[in-house]
């Protein structure tokens, strides 16, 4: 087994502002004040997790709290059919992300733009940003965060698909335009003038979704990754050449992630931060998988797609990662491995407003 890397490969990037949704009136806030304590509570938890990284990296020097709306730009209006309570909570989450990203990405040791990234970082990023010139938007796709459905929407907009309900196997490269397809000047133009968005998901739920899908259903992944993981981490199998790779345990998968360089991981479990570089790119909106329906509706209205283009519903065969399912899988992994794993995904937790998972012995007994 190769020695475990001590550097987690989390490369920092530069100042970014996430535009949150329209501010709400005092009356509306009072009416839906019940959502505020829970959101602020998890914000405190997230902040404590993020502080670990800030202290470790020496990033707390000269940190100043940014103003809530530093750019003074007009914020677009949300669709009116969204439930008001959900809308208030979404606005609070966006503001928390706004402040967190500005604070962490504004440090001097962070790259300040796409061109400040390393060649490998820049290549990964440009290969994950999809372009629609007609509606002038850029979408950074994150595997296991509804990216297949977003790609389906882009294909409908380009005319490659008649509608989102067409039953066809998704080709993740064909009929799509990537930012990496353009020369530097055209990349700069689109980054400067297009609406830029991405979607995020609770980091451990995303990992579990990738694990169950790739090692439970996809033979190509079982052969390429599963067999290697079993040889490396299961006693007595190091020289076995007949391994199918279809019974990788979640603990074995976690141990594999510990020995991987985040910048060279497969995209399905590469940290969201490394895929989309939210410090180097000033995203106008960061949506959440947990609020997918309302956030997707906002984006579609914001970019002005035709009324008949809607975000696809989840497939009937989709197996959701419930809180109970995630609890079960995380509690099967020795705590020491989970503690070692957290630093690799700490920016996904802290930047995007997700609390660190509770995997204490007491919690796992329930």
């Amino acid at each position: 087994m190769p020695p475990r890397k001590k550097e987690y490969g989390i490369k920092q990037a530069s100042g970014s502002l996430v535009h949150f949704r329209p501010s709400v009136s005092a009356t509306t806030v009072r009416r839906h004040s019940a959502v505020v304590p829970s959101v602020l509570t998890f914000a405190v938890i997230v902040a404590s997790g993020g502080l670990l990284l800030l202290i470790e990296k020496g990033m707390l020097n000269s940190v100043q709290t940014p103003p809530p709306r530093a750019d003074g730009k007009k914020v677009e209006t949300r669709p009116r059919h969204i439930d008001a309570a959900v809308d208030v909570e979404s606005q609070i989450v966006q503001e928390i992300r706004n402040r967190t990203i500005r604070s962490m990405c504004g440090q001097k040791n962070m790259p300040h733009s796409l061109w400040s990234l390393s060649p490998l970082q820049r290549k990964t990023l440009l290969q994950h940003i999809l372009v629609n010139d007609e509606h002038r938007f850029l979408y950074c796709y994150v595997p296991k965060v509804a990216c297949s459905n977003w790609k389906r929407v882009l294909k409908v907009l380009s005319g490659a698909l008649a509608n989102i309900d067409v039953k066809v196997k998704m080709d993740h490269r064909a009929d799509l335009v990537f930012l990496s397809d353009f020369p530097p000047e055209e990349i700069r133009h689109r980054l400067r003038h297009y609406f830029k968005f991405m979607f995020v998901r609770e980091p451990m739920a995303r990992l579990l979704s990738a694990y169950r899908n790739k090692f439970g259903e996809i033979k190509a992944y079982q052969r390429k990754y599963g067999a290697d993981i079993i040889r490396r981490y299961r006693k007595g199998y190091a020289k076995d050449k007949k391994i199918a790779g279809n019974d990788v345990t979640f603990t074995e998968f976690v141990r594999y992630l510990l020995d991987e360089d985040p910048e060279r991981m497969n995209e399905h479990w590469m940290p969201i931060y490394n895929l989309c570089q939210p410090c180097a790119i000033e995203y106008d909106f960061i949506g959440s998988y947990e609020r997918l329906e309302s956030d997707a509706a906002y984006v579609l209205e914001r970019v002005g797609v035709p009324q008949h283009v809607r975000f696809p519903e989840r497939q009937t065969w989709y197996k959701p990662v419930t809180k109970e399912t995630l609890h079960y899988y995380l509690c099967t992994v020795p705590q020491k491995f989970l503690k070692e794993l957290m630093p690799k995904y700490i920016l996904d937790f802290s930047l995007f407003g997700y609390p660190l998972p509770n995997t204490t012995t007491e919690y796992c007994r329930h």
Side-chain angles (χ1 to χ4, degrees):
M1 185 190 309
R4 192 161 289 162
K5 297 176 177 64
K6 293 188 177 180
E7 289 191 7
Y8 298 115
I10 301 174
K11 308 294 185 183
Q12 328 301 7
S14 86
S16 169
L17 172 64
V18 177
H19 299 159
F20 50 93
R21 296 169 190 166
S23 57
V24 293
S25 67
T27 302
T28 304
V29 171
R30 285 195 298 270
R31 187 182 303 135
H32 303 293
S33 60
V35 303
V36 177
S38 63
V39 175
L40 295 181
T41 298
F42 86 63
V44 171
I45 296 172
V46 170
S48 65
L51 281 174
L52 295 177
L53 179 72
L54 294 175
I55 294 170
E56 178 184 337
K57 299 294 183 182
M59 294 165 59
L60 289 179
N61 298 332
S62 304
V63 171
Q64 296 181 351
T65 303
R69 296 275 293 281
D71 65 345
K73 294 179 181 178
K74 181 180 178 181
V75 181
E76 299 296 329
T77 304
R78 290 293 313 278
R80 295 185 179 182
H81 66 273
I82 300 299
D83 180 80
V86 173
D87 196 41
V88 170
E89 184 165 2
S90 295
Q91 291 173 39
I92 296 171
V93 171
Q94 286 292 317
E95 182 168 357
I96 291 171
R97 285 182 183 155
N98 179 1
R99 287 174 172 266
T100 304
I101 288 174
R102 283 184 60 86
S103 294
M104 295 182 70
C105 296
Q107 303 306 305
K108 293 180 180 180
N109 60 333
M110 306 283 236
H112 291 2
S113 72
L114 168 70
W115 313 106
S116 300
L117 299 172
S118 72
L120 177 59
Q121 291 171 331
R122 187 162 56 248
K123 178 181 178 182
T124 298
L125 174 60
L126 293 177
Q127 290 179 343
H128 282 82
I129 295 182
L130 294 167
V131 181
N132 182 282
D133 284 326
E134 180 181 358
H135 297 281
R136 298 170 64 83
F137 70 79
L138 303 177
Y139 160 56
C140 184
Y141 79 87
V142 177
K144 311 312 299 179
V145 189
C147 75
S148 294
N149 279 345
W150 275 113
K151 289 176 180 178
R152 185 175 286 267
V153 169
L154 267 80
K155 291 189 178 190
V156 171
L157 292 176
S158 70
L161 288 180
N163 58 71
I164 63 168
D165 298 316
V166 173
K167 296 187 182 300
V168 58
K169 184 177 180 180
M170 173 59 65
D171 186 320
H172 290 271
R173 302 296 303 180
D175 302 312
L176 293 169
V177 180
F178 296 82
L179 198 55
S180 57
D181 297 334
F182 297 92
E185 280 308 310
E186 294 194 33
I187 291 174
R188 288 188 177 92
H189 173 80
R190 286 166 174 80
L191 287 174
R192 191 177 301 119
H193 298 290
Y194 284 20
F195 180 79
K196 300 172 289 296
F197 71 95
M198 59 180 287
F199 273 71
V200 299
R201 183 179 186 179
E202 198 283 329
M204 294 298 103
R206 175 174 170 252
L207 284 184
L208 179 55
S209 178
Y211 163 78
R212 295 206 300 177
N213 173 238
K214 300 309 174 186
F215 298 111
E217 303 171 8
I218 312 298
K219 291 190 180 298
Y221 274 77
Q222 294 170 1
R223 289 192 297 266
K224 181 175 181 180
Y225 295 98
D228 180 56
I229 289 173
I230 291 173
R231 290 190 190 98
R232 289 166 63 178
Y233 304 102
R234 191 175 299 178
K235 291 183 179 180
Y237 286 81
K239 297 182 180 180
D240 192 334
K241 297 182 179 180
K242 297 182 180 180
I243 300 173
N246 60 354
D247 63 342
V248 175
T249 67
F250 192 59
T251 296
E252 290 169 339
F253 178 54
V254 168
R255 293 184 65 188
Y256 163 74
L257 294 176
L258 291 178
D259 289 327
E260 287 295 291
D261 178 354
E263 291 194 348
R264 300 179 186 276
M265 285 180 176
N266 178 279
E267 63 176 8
H268 291 86
W269 42 83
M270 181 181 286
I272 298 173
Y273 178 88
N274 295 82
L275 289 170
C276 292
Q277 296 289 348
C279 288
I281 299 296
E282 186 178 339
Y283 289 98
D284 299 287
F285 182 76
I286 297 181
S288 298
Y289 185 83
E290 294 77 14
R291 288 175 294 277
L292 181 60
E293 183 178 355
S294 60
D295 283 355
Y298 166 74
V299 170
L300 292 177
E301 182 179 68
R302 171 62 180 78
V303 300
V305 304
Q307 288 292 323
H308 71 275
V309 179
R310 55 183 172 78
F311 194 76
E313 296 179 0
R314 288 193 175 100
Q315 301 296 324
T316 54
W317 47 261
Y318 174 73
K319 298 178 182 178
V321 174
T322 64
K323 290 183 178 179
E324 294 74 20
T325 304
L326 183 60
H327 172 270
Y328 170 79
Y329 276 93
L330 289 179
C331 288
T332 64
V333 180
Q335 288 189 35
K336 65 176 184 178
F337 293 147
L338 289 177
K339 288 180 179 178
E340 289 181 54
L341 184 66
M342 289 305 108
K344 287 197 173 185
Y345 295 90
I346 192 65
L347 287 179
D348 287 0
F349 282 105
S350 56
L351 281 177
F352 305 131
Y354 292 107
L356 295 174
N358 183 354
T359 57
T360 61
T361 302
E362 181 179 355
Y363 177 76
C364 286
R365 285 198 188 109
H366 299 290

